[in-house]
Amino acid sequence: MHHFNEIFVQLLILLAISIGVIAIAKKVNQPYSIALVLVGLLLGLIHVPVLEEAATFITQSNVFQAIIISLFLPILLGDATLKLPFSHLRKQSKPVLALAFGGTLLSFLLIALAMYGLMGLPLVVAFTFAALMSATDPISVISIFKSLGVPKNIVTIIEGESLFNDGIAVVLFKISSVYLLTYIEMGWIGIGSGVLLFLKFSLGGIAVGAVLGFLFSQLIRFYDDYPLEIAFSMLLFFGSYFIAEHFHVSGVIAVVVGGIIFGSYGAHIGMSDTTKMNINSFWDVITLVANSLIFLMIGLEIKHIYFTDKWALIGASVLIVLIGRSFAVYISMIFLKSFPSSWKVILNWGGLKGSLSIALALSLPTTFEGRDDILVLTFSVVLFSLLVQGLTIKPLLKKLGIGKQLLHSKSQINK
């Protein structure tokens, strides 16, 4: 009990540090996720006795994975779906679907084939790494976008893409890391089996999310009690995730679908203005705490990653991921003739990698051949993405002239 209390106190200190960093970052109008990663890196590189035990505890593979995937992921996905009205998503459905489905699959295949054919990684390692690089994390970018008054259409597209491609990336990761070799040995039948498994994961997640989203939307019609309705939203997000995972379908897709239905249909038929305000405020606080710990934990992970003699591979991997993203954006959106080219540049450079990629990499069993390579490459690309792309997105926006002055222009781009 005493040992647990000590760890709890140290975790509280870490939380206090992360909230303090956020407070300073917001005061100087900088993206807090990047500031947290930098502070986490600093804490990971220097010896701070009072934080040593807590840092060691939370950066263990199983703990990091449990906290990020099982606890924080449903929270972050659920909050994002509440804040993304279906009407906005529908207006930008063409670019969102093009990026989330066509772009994600194209990026996955290009990165996998390049890592296997050019860099000589084993097939399973190459495809598993490519699946991890297919997920985007818009937290840093969105905070910058909102501070600069970037048109809401771009924000909707990046958020919508991230919500759906997270689910697809998790499904691709499971298939690549567990079933790939078996399916390859089976030949064409194996490819068919892989496609069927992908559909099972995806459609099963959609079904679970749709049923629970509809049920909870009906349930809140009987109440005008915001604390209870907030509790219902918690049950929906975590219930969708764990029920879907129990039936071996995609928990991420279930949360996204359930959250969109609850946040749009449910809010329309069953939420008063008071409930909407309070439920958004509640999840704002929860996601702030979750994000503060996630990005600090990413920085702290550095002491468990060994980069020795892998710098050439790391550099090549960063370049391959960037090229894969570029191809994915420009090819998947080639049919959207009226889509502004400057927006494509932003969507390309703003496709950052984040906590989901690292948590999934850490979830690989220690017996997985090539696990160390995947950890090093994933961590390196995520760091490059957050620090280099994240810190240069603001100057890029200003150079392209995308900001407050364009807020009310270019309203429809999906014709």
Side-chain angles (χ1 to χ4, degrees):
M1 188 67 173
H2 178 68
H3 177 69
F4 176 80
N5 286 342
E6 282 187 358
I7 290 179
F8 181 78
V9 168
Q10 291 176 29
L11 287 172
L12 197 59
I13 293 170
L14 281 177
L15 180 60
I17 291 170
S18 59
I19 297 295
V21 171
I22 290 176
I24 295 168
K26 283 180 176 285
K27 200 69 179 172
V28 296
N29 200 28
Q30 293 298 320
Y32 68 79
S33 53
I34 296 171
L36 283 165
V37 171
L38 290 170
V39 171
L41 283 170
L42 186 63
L43 292 175
L45 291 170
I46 62 175
H47 179 68
V48 185
V50 71
L51 299 177
E52 199 70 31
E53 198 170 352
T56 303
F57 174 71
I58 65 172
T59 53
Q60 292 175 60
S61 295
N62 59 331
V63 176
F64 191 99
Q65 186 222 353
I67 292 174
I68 300 290
I69 293 185
S70 301
L71 179 60
F72 289 163
L73 191 56
I75 289 171
L76 297 178
L77 291 170
D79 175 67
T81 55
L82 281 178
K83 308 286 171 57
L84 187 61
F86 183 72
S87 58
H88 293 178
L89 201 56
R90 188 176 58 228
K91 285 178 184 175
Q92 309 306 330
S93 59
K94 288 182 180 178
V96 167
L97 293 176
L99 286 168
F101 292 90
T104 301
L105 292 171
L106 188 58
S107 166
F108 167 69
L109 288 173
L110 286 172
I111 294 170
L113 293 174
M115 295 303 291
Y116 173 67
L118 300 178
M119 304 312 299
L121 288 183
L123 196 65
V124 173
V125 175
F127 273 80
T128 302
F129 173 70
L132 295 173
M133 294 299 103
S134 301
T136 56
D137 187 343
I139 294 166
S140 309
V141 176
I142 296 301
S143 63
I144 296 169
F145 282 4
K146 288 179 178 174
S147 70
L148 291 178
V150 166
K152 193 162 188 65
N153 290 334
I154 302 185
V155 179
T156 300
I157 293 166
I158 284 208
E159 284 186 311
E161 180 204 1
S162 177
L163 282 174
F164 290 108
N165 82 3
D166 281 358
I168 294 169
V170 172
V171 174
L172 291 172
F173 171 76
K174 287 183 178 178
I175 292 173
S176 299
S177 60
V178 179
Y179 303 103
L180 185 65
L181 280 182
T182 305
Y183 288 154
I184 288 173
E185 288 170 3
M186 292 166 64
W188 286 107
I189 295 174
I191 293 173
S193 300
V195 172
L196 285 175
L197 186 63
F198 179 86
L199 291 173
K200 177 208 164 192
F201 277 132
S202 305
L203 297 177
I206 291 171
V208 171
V211 169
L212 289 177
F214 177 78
L215 289 176
F216 276 91
S217 295
Q218 295 300 320
L219 185 60
I220 60 173
R221 295 177 68 178
F222 299 104
Y223 302 94
D224 185 14
D225 184 330
Y226 73 81
L228 183 62
E229 291 173 83
I230 290 171
F232 285 152
S233 70
M234 293 177 71
L235 278 176
L236 170 64
F237 298 154
F238 287 104
S240 297
Y241 183 82
F242 286 107
I243 289 171
E245 291 293 317
H246 175 74
F247 287 108
H248 304 291
V249 296
S250 175
V252 173
I253 292 176
V255 177
V256 169
V257 173
I260 288 174
I261 292 172
F262 187 77
S264 295
Y265 172 68
H268 177 68
I269 65 169
M271 284 189 203
S272 65
D273 290 340
T274 303
T275 296
K276 288 176 186 175
M277 183 183 70
N278 281 285
I279 202 168
N280 284 332
S281 298
F282 172 82
W283 286 109
D284 281 344
V285 174
I286 299 299
T287 51
L288 182 74
V289 172
N291 280 325
S292 71
L293 287 173
I294 286 171
F295 287 103
L296 194 67
M297 288 162 71
I298 290 176
L300 287 169
E301 266 299 324
I302 194 169
K303 65 170 64 178
H304 299 282
I305 309 291
Y306 301 99
F307 299 93
T308 317
D309 301 328
K310 293 181 180 173
W311 296 109
L313 180 60
I314 288 169
S317 301
V318 169
L319 190 60
I320 286 169
V321 170
L322 289 174
I323 293 170
R325 173 68 181 175
S326 297
F327 271 95
V329 169
Y330 285 95
I331 293 176
S332 67
M333 303 182 77
I334 200 167
F335 301 108
L336 301 176
K337 302 296 183 186
S338 61
F339 200 91
S341 57
S342 60
W343 290 20
K344 290 180 184 177
V345 174
I346 294 302
L347 292 172
N348 179 23
W349 196 244
L352 307 191
K353 316 304 174 192
S355 52
L356 178 62
S357 300
I358 288 182
L360 288 173
L362 287 166
S363 73
L364 289 169
T366 51
T367 53
F368 185 89
E369 193 173 344
R371 182 179 187 271
D372 288 344
D373 283 343
I374 287 176
L375 276 177
V376 169
L377 297 179
T378 302
F379 191 83
S380 301
V381 174
V382 168
L383 266 188
F384 175 89
S385 174
L386 289 171
L387 299 182
V388 177
Q389 291 174 257
L391 288 172
T392 54
I393 195 85
K394 187 182 284 189
L396 182 60
L397 283 166
K398 290 180 177 176
K399 186 174 178 63
L400 292 170
I402 299 175
K404 290 185 171 71
Q405 69 272 26
L406 295 181
L407 192 58
H408 300 294
S409 66
K410 301 176 183 171
S411 59
Q412 292 297 325
I413 58 169
N414 58 325
K415 295 178 182 177

